[in-house]
Amino acid sequence: TIAHYLKEGLLPTPVRTNRNMAYYDASCIERILFIKKMQAHHRLPLSQIKLILDQRDKGREVTSLIELKEIVFGNQGQIRLDKAAFTKATGLSKEEIETCLSANLLRPREIGIFDQEDVAAGQVLRVCIDLGISVEEAEFYPRLAEVVVDKEMAIQRRLAKDKAYDEAIHTTMELTRVARMLRAYIFDRVFQERALLQEKGPTPEDGEQRPE
């Protein structure tokens, strides 16, 4: 684990006296405990923990940054499944999982490791496949999601670029909450509007009579 932390840049390079001997600064103990706490209580990936450590090393207060990361990345507890366990939890075959990964319908945070959100998505994809919905038919979800998120990120950069560090974090937290609410509301409303139109049947402009 320590070797992995070193590789990811989370710990300072130790002093090596020979191939099998290295001396670590005492501060590494607190640093490792902090990393484990971030993983256990906030369920953050190492890449995000590194960003928090970098800011802490600059002498900045990171409480609000940790809150922001938790809002963005969620808190899914300790569920970490490999592909075999994920297959069992979702009912998807290994081939179906690979197809969904290639189509970006499954997007685990860590390669080869699946959390609770991935399991929920996998179970929904199992239902989709059983209903006869092909992966190709569903590919518009990730494609359009990237368009929407890119627009949201552009707004975030515009609003936060000239703000002080803490104020920029607060702005980003509020924007994250707003974006999630608007996505859910607008998508549901559009779906409801289309469902009502479909119930009414074709319009006279379509050249067909509406059902009485």
Side-chain angles (χ1 to χ4, degrees):
T1 299
I2 291 173
H4 183 59
Y5 289 169
L6 283 168
K7 181 181 177 182
E8 296 297 318
L10 293 160
L11 297 175
T13 304
V15 176
R16 295 196 175 277
T17 54
N18 60 53
R19 181 180 176 185
N20 298 315
M21 180 67 69
Y23 287 89
Y24 292 82
D25 188 275
S27 63
C28 288
I29 297 173
E30 185 277 333
R31 201 173 181 89
I32 290 171
L33 292 174
F34 180 84
I35 294 168
K36 302 302 287 185
K37 179 181 178 181
M38 290 297 99
Q39 290 179 311
H41 296 287
H42 301 283
R43 188 63 182 90
L44 294 176
L46 290 180
S47 61
Q48 296 304 312
I49 295 174
K50 183 178 186 302
L51 292 176
I52 293 170
L53 284 169
D54 289 344
Q55 294 301 319
R56 196 180 71 155
D57 291 343
K58 294 176 182 177
R60 286 174 169 162
E61 169 58 47
V62 295
T63 301
S64 58
L65 181 58
I66 292 170
E67 183 182 355
L68 170 60
K69 297 300 183 183
E70 190 168 271
I71 289 172
V72 172
F73 291 94
N75 188 339
Q76 292 300 317
Q78 294 299 302
I79 293 180
R80 288 169 55 84
L81 305 179
D82 60 16
K83 190 174 292 185
F86 183 70
T87 298
K88 185 176 181 180
T90 61
L92 294 170
S93 69
K94 291 182 179 180
E95 292 76 16
E96 288 169 334
I97 291 171
E98 288 301 325
T99 301
C100 291
L101 287 170
S102 298
N104 284 322
L105 288 167
L106 281 174
R107 305 171 77 110
R109 296 174 183 173
E110 301 176 54
I111 296 175
I113 300 296
F114 301 89
D115 64 19
Q116 185 58 47
E117 286 185 346
D118 299 319
V119 170
Q123 291 169 343
V124 169
L125 287 167
R126 174 72 272 160
V127 174
C128 288
I129 293 170
D130 291 343
L131 286 172
I133 301 172
S134 69
V135 169
E136 290 75 19
E137 285 179 304
E139 64 80 28
F140 67 89
Y141 281 109
R143 176 168 50 83
L144 295 181
E146 289 179 6
V147 174
V148 171
V149 171
D150 285 344
K151 295 287 187 182
E152 293 172 348
M153 291 293 186
I155 294 171
Q156 185 276 334
R157 287 192 297 270
R158 179 179 66 80
L159 294 179
K161 66 177 181 178
D162 296 324
K163 289 182 167 58
Y165 175 76
D166 287 338
E167 191 177 357
I169 289 176
H170 176 73
T171 297
T172 303
M173 282 193 287
E174 290 304 302
L175 286 171
T176 301
R177 294 188 181 101
V178 166
R180 283 178 172 158
M181 188 280 290
L182 283 177
R183 282 183 224 144
Y185 170 75
I186 292 173
F187 270 75
D188 279 349
R189 281 293 190 256
V190 170
F191 180 83
Q192 291 161 3
E193 290 165 7
R194 295 295 189 274
L196 287 172
L197 286 173
Q198 185 166 299
E199 287 176 358
K200 292 178 180 178
T203 64
E205 289 77 14
D206 294 327
E208 296 182 26
Q209 292 287 342
R210 287 185 179 178
E212 294 297 330

